Amino acid sequence: MDNLTHSLAGWALGQTGLKTKSRKGLAALILGANMPDVDVFFGRLPWDPLAIHRGFTHSFIGGAVVMPPVLAGLLWLLDRWQVSRGKAFKSGLPMRFGWLVGLAYVGAVSHPSLDLLTTYSVQLLSPFSNDWFHADGLFIIDLWLWLLLGGAIVWSKRLERRGGNWRRPAQAAVGIALAYIAANLFISWRAHAAVHDWAGNRRAESVFASPPPFYSWRRELVWREGDCYRRSAYVPFIGMAPVSACEPTNLDDPSVRAAIAQSPGLRKFLKWSILPQAEVERSRCSVKVTIGDARYGRGANSRLGREAVLRTC
């Protein structure tokens, strides 16, 4: 998910009443909800993080065990420094380090839990396994969650200033968000089942059912069948659309193999890509190899991808 959604999730959890457990509690929730994305700062170029993004920092070990106590410790040190300078805290809350650690855990766990719902996938078992996990429940930017959580936070803050029951709007929003996610997971489960029903005895592997940005009840389907990919779509109460012809992966092309061997960028991309698909464009003295991911478009038309040029004369 995008970082706005992660921040809104941490903030909404705080407005349910969790932020009253300790001074710096809201900061622990919001920062914890974004903390696993620290891996995007690794690497020298914008695309380099794809080789490790949503890996160790998003796993059960890195994201949910190692990082929260570090965040809580940094917030505690900040609080001690502020106290030493005589800072007055508007919240009037005491510092409870145990609760601070707990809230950092809540925020941190929310991050891979939300990312797991997208087709970008998460390496939950890193560093012990490089396997990718995905639930296909949400698009990476979900407008409906923005409106739901953002609206509840604004409402809750207004009630808080007026002395009303400010916890209720956020509690309701979190409950509705969970029901919304559950409904989308059910739709994706039915979409996956439709693919396997269509495939019959053929092997349909690595099935992805991606919700589009606005129409969250629809699914764009892509899956691997041998050395090619197939595509379709799914809509509840209507069913599965006609299936496309096989789109070859082209990964066995000698030019593609040579480009991968010579290009560190392609190798890094392939560490991240789950459904790699290559296209080869030959000219007089060069061969351009483009590798994209079939989840996000076909070959060179993929929204995400890398290319390399081989000189032939």
mmCIF file with all atom_site columns, all heavy atoms in Angstrom, residues 297-311:
data_model
loop_
_atom_site.group_PDB
_atom_site.id
_atom_site.type_symbol
_atom_site.label_atom_id
_atom_site.label_alt_id
_atom_site.label_comp_id
_atom_site.label_asym_id
_atom_site.label_entity_id
_atom_site.label_seq_id
_atom_site.pdbx_PDB_ins_code
_atom_site.Cartn_x
_atom_site.Cartn_y
_atom_site.Cartn_z
_atom_site.occupancy
_atom_site.B_iso_or_equiv
_atom_site.pdbx_formal_charge
_atom_site.auth_seq_id
_atom_site.auth_comp_id
_atom_site.auth_asym_id
_atom_site.auth_atom_id
_atom_site.pdbx_PDB_model_num
ATOM 1   N N   . GLY A 1 297 ? 1.121  -5.539  -17.092 1.00 0.00 ? 297 GLY A N   1
ATOM 2   C CA  . GLY A 1 297 ? 1.134  -5.285  -18.519 1.00 0.00 ? 297 GLY A CA  1
ATOM 3   C C   . GLY A 1 297 ? 2.002  -6.295  -19.236 1.00 0.00 ? 297 GLY A C   1
ATOM 4   O O   . GLY A 1 297 ? 2.770  -7.047  -18.620 1.00 0.00 ? 297 GLY A O   1
ATOM 5   N N   . ARG A 1 298 ? 1.878  -6.319  -20.548 1.00 0.00 ? 298 ARG A N   1
ATOM 6   C CA  . ARG A 1 298 ? 2.593  -7.322  -21.334 1.00 0.00 ? 298 ARG A CA  1
ATOM 7   C C   . ARG A 1 298 ? 3.973  -6.841  -21.746 1.00 0.00 ? 298 ARG A C   1
ATOM 8   O O   . ARG A 1 298 ? 4.110  -5.772  -22.341 1.00 0.00 ? 298 ARG A O   1
ATOM 9   C CB  . ARG A 1 298 ? 1.796  -7.665  -22.588 1.00 0.00 ? 298 ARG A CB  1
ATOM 10  C CG  . ARG A 1 298 ? 2.486  -8.658  -23.501 1.00 0.00 ? 298 ARG A CG  1
ATOM 11  C CD  . ARG A 1 298 ? 1.603  -9.066  -24.658 1.00 0.00 ? 298 ARG A CD  1
ATOM 12  N NE  . ARG A 1 298 ? 2.309  -9.988  -25.546 1.00 0.00 ? 298 ARG A NE  1
ATOM 13  C CZ  . ARG A 1 298 ? 1.759  -10.615 -26.575 1.00 0.00 ? 298 ARG A CZ  1
ATOM 14  N NH1 . ARG A 1 298 ? 0.489  -10.391 -26.848 1.00 0.00 ? 298 ARG A NH1 1
ATOM 15  N NH2 . ARG A 1 298 ? 2.477  -11.434 -27.321 1.00 0.00 ? 298 ARG A NH2 1
ATOM 16  N N   . GLY A 1 299 ? 4.995  -7.593  -21.413 1.00 0.00 ? 299 GLY A N   1
ATOM 17  C CA  . GLY A 1 299 ? 6.352  -7.374  -21.878 1.00 0.00 ? 299 GLY A CA  1
ATOM 18  C C   . GLY A 1 299 ? 6.820  -5.939  -21.774 1.00 0.00 ? 299 GLY A C   1
ATOM 19  O O   . GLY A 1 299 ? 6.840  -5.338  -20.694 1.00 0.00 ? 299 GLY A O   1
ATOM 20  N N   . ALA A 1 300 ? 7.166  -5.359  -22.914 1.00 0.00 ? 300 ALA A N   1
ATOM 21  C CA  . ALA A 1 300 ? 7.696  -3.998  -22.948 1.00 0.00 ? 300 ALA A CA  1
ATOM 22  C C   . ALA A 1 300 ? 6.656  -2.971  -22.538 1.00 0.00 ? 300 ALA A C   1
ATOM 23  O O   . ALA A 1 300 ? 6.997  -1.846  -22.190 1.00 0.00 ? 300 ALA A O   1
ATOM 24  C CB  . ALA A 1 300 ? 8.215  -3.681  -24.348 1.00 0.00 ? 300 ALA A CB  1
ATOM 25  N N   . ASN A 1 301 ? 5.372  -3.328  -22.581 1.00 0.00 ? 301 ASN A N   1
ATOM 26  C CA  . ASN A 1 301 ? 4.304  -2.403  -22.192 1.00 0.00 ? 301 ASN A CA  1
ATOM 27  C C   . ASN A 1 301 ? 3.982  -2.468  -20.715 1.00 0.00 ? 301 ASN A C   1
ATOM 28  O O   . ASN A 1 301 ? 3.061  -1.795  -20.254 1.00 0.00 ? 301 ASN A O   1
ATOM 29  C CB  . ASN A 1 301 ? 3.039  -2.696  -23.006 1.00 0.00 ? 301 ASN A CB  1
ATOM 30  C CG  . ASN A 1 301 ? 3.238  -2.446  -24.490 1.00 0.00 ? 301 ASN A CG  1
ATOM 31  O OD1 . ASN A 1 301 ? 3.894  -1.478  -24.869 1.00 0.00 ? 301 ASN A OD1 1
ATOM 32  N ND2 . ASN A 1 301 ? 2.687  -3.313  -25.325 1.00 0.00 ? 301 ASN A ND2 1
ATOM 33  N N   . SER A 1 302 ? 4.705  -3.279  -19.981 1.00 0.00 ? 302 SER A N   1
ATOM 34  C CA  . SER A 1 302 ? 4.486  -3.378  -18.545 1.00 0.00 ? 302 SER A CA  1
ATOM 35  C C   . SER A 1 302 ? 4.782  -2.039  -17.878 1.00 0.00 ? 302 SER A C   1
ATOM 36  O O   . SER A 1 302 ? 5.709  -1.318  -18.259 1.00 0.00 ? 302 SER A O   1
ATOM 37  C CB  . SER A 1 302 ? 5.394  -4.451  -17.940 1.00 0.00 ? 302 SER A CB  1
ATOM 38  O OG  . SER A 1 302 ? 5.271  -4.478  -16.529 1.00 0.00 ? 302 SER A OG  1
ATOM 39  N N   . ARG A 1 303 ? 3.964  -1.680  -16.877 1.00 0.00 ? 303 ARG A N   1
ATOM 40  C CA  . ARG A 1 303 ? 4.184  -0.423  -16.153 1.00 0.00 ? 303 ARG A CA  1
ATOM 41  C C   . ARG A 1 303 ? 5.502  -0.431  -15.395 1.00 0.00 ? 303 ARG A C   1
ATOM 42  O O   . ARG A 1 303 ? 6.026  0.615   -15.034 1.00 0.00 ? 303 ARG A O   1
ATOM 43  C CB  . ARG A 1 303 ? 3.022  -0.165  -15.185 1.00 0.00 ? 303 ARG A CB  1
ATOM 44  C CG  . ARG A 1 303 ? 1.686  0.010   -15.883 1.00 0.00 ? 303 ARG A CG  1
ATOM 45  C CD  . ARG A 1 303 ? 0.653  0.574   -14.937 1.00 0.00 ? 303 ARG A CD  1
ATOM 46  N NE  . ARG A 1 303 ? 0.400  -0.269  -13.801 1.00 0.00 ? 303 ARG A NE  1
ATOM 47  C CZ  . ARG A 1 303 ? -0.499 -1.261  -13.782 1.00 0.00 ? 303 ARG A CZ  1
ATOM 48  N NH1 . ARG A 1 303 ? -1.194 -1.527  -14.872 1.00 0.00 ? 303 ARG A NH1 1
ATOM 49  N NH2 . ARG A 1 303 ? -0.698 -1.974  -12.709 1.00 0.00 ? 303 ARG A NH2 1
ATOM 50  N N   . LEU A 1 304 ? 6.025  -1.615  -15.124 1.00 0.00 ? 304 LEU A N   1
ATOM 51  C CA  . LEU A 1 304 ? 7.304  -1.744  -14.429 1.00 0.00 ? 304 LEU A CA  1
ATOM 52  C C   . LEU A 1 304 ? 8.207  -2.623  -15.284 1.00 0.00 ? 304 LEU A C   1
ATOM 53  O O   . LEU A 1 304 ? 7.787  -3.667  -15.777 1.00 0.00 ? 304 LEU A O   1
ATOM 54  C CB  . LEU A 1 304 ? 7.113  -2.384  -13.051 1.00 0.00 ? 304 LEU A CB  1
ATOM 55  C CG  . LEU A 1 304 ? 6.181  -1.645  -12.074 1.00 0.00 ? 304 LEU A CG  1
ATOM 56  C CD1 . LEU A 1 304 ? 5.963  -2.482  -10.832 1.00 0.00 ? 304 LEU A CD1 1
ATOM 57  C CD2 . LEU A 1 304 ? 6.769  -0.302  -11.700 1.00 0.00 ? 304 LEU A CD2 1
ATOM 58  N N   . GLY A 1 305 ? 9.428  -2.230  -15.449 1.00 0.00 ? 305 GLY A N   1
ATOM 59  C CA  . GLY A 1 305 ? 10.317 -3.053  -16.245 1.00 0.00 ? 305 GLY A CA  1
ATOM 60  C C   . GLY A 1 305 ? 11.674 -2.405  -16.432 1.00 0.00 ? 305 GLY A C   1
ATOM 61  O O   . GLY A 1 305 ? 11.887 -1.248  -16.086 1.00 0.00 ? 305 GLY A O   1
ATOM 62  N N   . ARG A 1 306 ? 12.592 -3.173  -16.975 1.00 0.00 ? 306 ARG A N   1
ATOM 63  C CA  . ARG A 1 306 ? 13.941 -2.702  -17.263 1.00 0.00 ? 306 ARG A CA  1
ATOM 64  C C   . ARG A 1 306 ? 14.334 -3.159  -18.647 1.00 0.00 ? 306 ARG A C   1
ATOM 65  O O   . ARG A 1 306 ? 13.799 -4.138  -19.178 1.00 0.00 ? 306 ARG A O   1
ATOM 66  C CB  . ARG A 1 306 ? 14.931 -3.266  -16.233 1.00 0.00 ? 306 ARG A CB  1
ATOM 67  C CG  . ARG A 1 306 ? 14.729 -2.792  -14.808 1.00 0.00 ? 306 ARG A CG  1
ATOM 68  C CD  . ARG A 1 306 ? 14.915 -1.301  -14.653 1.00 0.00 ? 306 ARG A CD  1
ATOM 69  N NE  . ARG A 1 306 ? 16.264 -0.875  -14.980 1.00 0.00 ? 306 ARG A NE  1
ATOM 70  C CZ  . ARG A 1 306 ? 17.231 -0.800  -14.108 1.00 0.00 ? 306 ARG A CZ  1
ATOM 71  N NH1 . ARG A 1 306 ? 17.021 -1.103  -12.847 1.00 0.00 ? 306 ARG A NH1 1
ATOM 72  N NH2 . ARG A 1 306 ? 18.445 -0.374  -14.469 1.00 0.00 ? 306 ARG A NH2 1
ATOM 73  N N   . GLU A 1 307 ? 15.312 -2.497  -19.231 1.00 0.00 ? 307 GLU A N   1
ATOM 74  C CA  . GLU A 1 307 ? 15.782 -2.892  -20.553 1.00 0.00 ? 307 GLU A CA  1
ATOM 75  C C   . GLU A 1 307 ? 17.306 -2.856  -20.602 1.00 0.00 ? 307 GLU A C   1
ATOM 76  O O   . GLU A 1 307 ? 17.955 -2.195  -19.790 1.00 0.00 ? 307 GLU A O   1
ATOM 77  C CB  . GLU A 1 307 ? 15.201 -1.989  -21.636 1.00 0.00 ? 307 GLU A CB  1
ATOM 78  C CG  . GLU A 1 307 ? 15.677 -0.548  -21.579 1.00 0.00 ? 307 GLU A CG  1
ATOM 79  C CD  . GLU A 1 307 ? 15.080 0.270   -22.714 1.00 0.00 ? 307 GLU A CD  1
ATOM 80  O OE1 . GLU A 1 307 ? 13.900 0.107   -23.019 1.00 0.00 ? 307 GLU A OE1 1
ATOM 81  O OE2 . GLU A 1 307 ? 15.839 1.093   -23.286 1.00 0.00 ? 307 GLU A OE2 1
ATOM 82  N N   . ALA A 1 308 ? 17.850 -3.589  -21.547 1.00 0.00 ? 308 ALA A N   1
ATOM 83  C CA  . ALA A 1 308 ? 19.288 -3.611  -21.786 1.00 0.00 ? 308 ALA A CA  1
ATOM 84  C C   . ALA A 1 308 ? 19.507 -3.734  -23.287 1.00 0.00 ? 308 ALA A C   1
ATOM 85  O O   . ALA A 1 308 ? 18.691 -4.321  -24.004 1.00 0.00 ? 308 ALA A O   1
ATOM 86  C CB  . ALA A 1 308 ? 19.942 -4.778  -21.055 1.00 0.00 ? 308 ALA A CB  1
ATOM 87  N N   . VAL A 1 309 ? 20.612 -3.168  -23.771 1.00 0.00 ? 309 VAL A N   1
ATOM 88  C CA  . VAL A 1 309 ? 20.922 -3.185  -25.202 1.00 0.00 ? 309 VAL A CA  1
ATOM 89  C C   . VAL A 1 309 ? 22.228 -3.947  -25.413 1.00 0.00 ? 309 VAL A C   1
ATOM 90  O O   . VAL A 1 309 ? 23.240 -3.654  -24.782 1.00 0.00 ? 309 VAL A O   1
ATOM 91  C CB  . VAL A 1 309 ? 21.040 -1.750  -25.761 1.00 0.00 ? 309 VAL A CB  1
ATOM 92  C CG1 . VAL A 1 309 ? 21.450 -1.795  -27.237 1.00 0.00 ? 309 VAL A CG1 1
ATOM 93  C CG2 . VAL A 1 309 ? 19.722 -1.009  -25.601 1.00 0.00 ? 309 VAL A CG2 1
ATOM 94  N N   . LEU A 1 310 ? 22.179 -4.913  -26.293 1.00 0.00 ? 310 LEU A N   1
ATOM 95  C CA  . LEU A 1 310 ? 23.362 -5.702  -26.642 1.00 0.00 ? 310 LEU A CA  1
ATOM 96  C C   . LEU A 1 310 ? 23.889 -5.234  -27.996 1.00 0.00 ? 310 LEU A C   1
ATOM 97  O O   . LEU A 1 310 ? 23.117 -5.101  -28.958 1.00 0.00 ? 310 LEU A O   1
ATOM 98  C CB  . LEU A 1 310 ? 23.015 -7.187  -26.725 1.00 0.00 ? 310 LEU A CB  1
ATOM 99  C CG  . LEU A 1 310 ? 22.425 -7.844  -25.475 1.00 0.00 ? 310 LEU A CG  1
ATOM 100 C CD1 . LEU A 1 310 ? 22.047 -9.290  -25.784 1.00 0.00 ? 310 LEU A CD1 1
ATOM 101 C CD2 . LEU A 1 310 ? 23.413 -7.780  -24.328 1.00 0.00 ? 310 LEU A CD2 1
ATOM 102 N N   . ARG A 1 311 ? 25.178 -4.990  -28.094 1.00 0.00 ? 311 ARG A N   1
ATOM 103 C CA  . ARG A 1 311 ? 25.802 -4.624  -29.369 1.00 0.00 ? 311 ARG A CA  1
ATOM 104 C C   . ARG A 1 311 ? 26.167 -5.893  -30.127 1.00 0.00 ? 311 ARG A C   1
ATOM 105 O O   . ARG A 1 311 ? 26.772 -6.801  -29.567 1.00 0.00 ? 311 ARG A O   1
ATOM 106 C CB  . ARG A 1 311 ? 27.044 -3.765  -29.135 1.00 0.00 ? 311 ARG A CB  1
ATOM 107 C CG  . ARG A 1 311 ? 26.748 -2.435  -28.465 1.00 0.00 ? 311 ARG A CG  1
ATOM 108 C CD  . ARG A 1 311 ? 25.876 -1.566  -29.333 1.00 0.00 ? 311 ARG A CD  1
ATOM 109 N NE  . ARG A 1 311 ? 25.521 -0.326  -28.657 1.00 0.00 ? 311 ARG A NE  1
ATOM 110 C CZ  . ARG A 1 311 ? 24.676 0.572   -29.152 1.00 0.00 ? 311 ARG A CZ  1
ATOM 111 N NH1 . ARG A 1 311 ? 24.116 0.347   -30.333 1.00 0.00 ? 311 ARG A NH1 1
ATOM 112 N NH2 . ARG A 1 311 ? 24.398 1.666   -28.493 1.00 0.00 ? 311 ARG A NH2 1
#
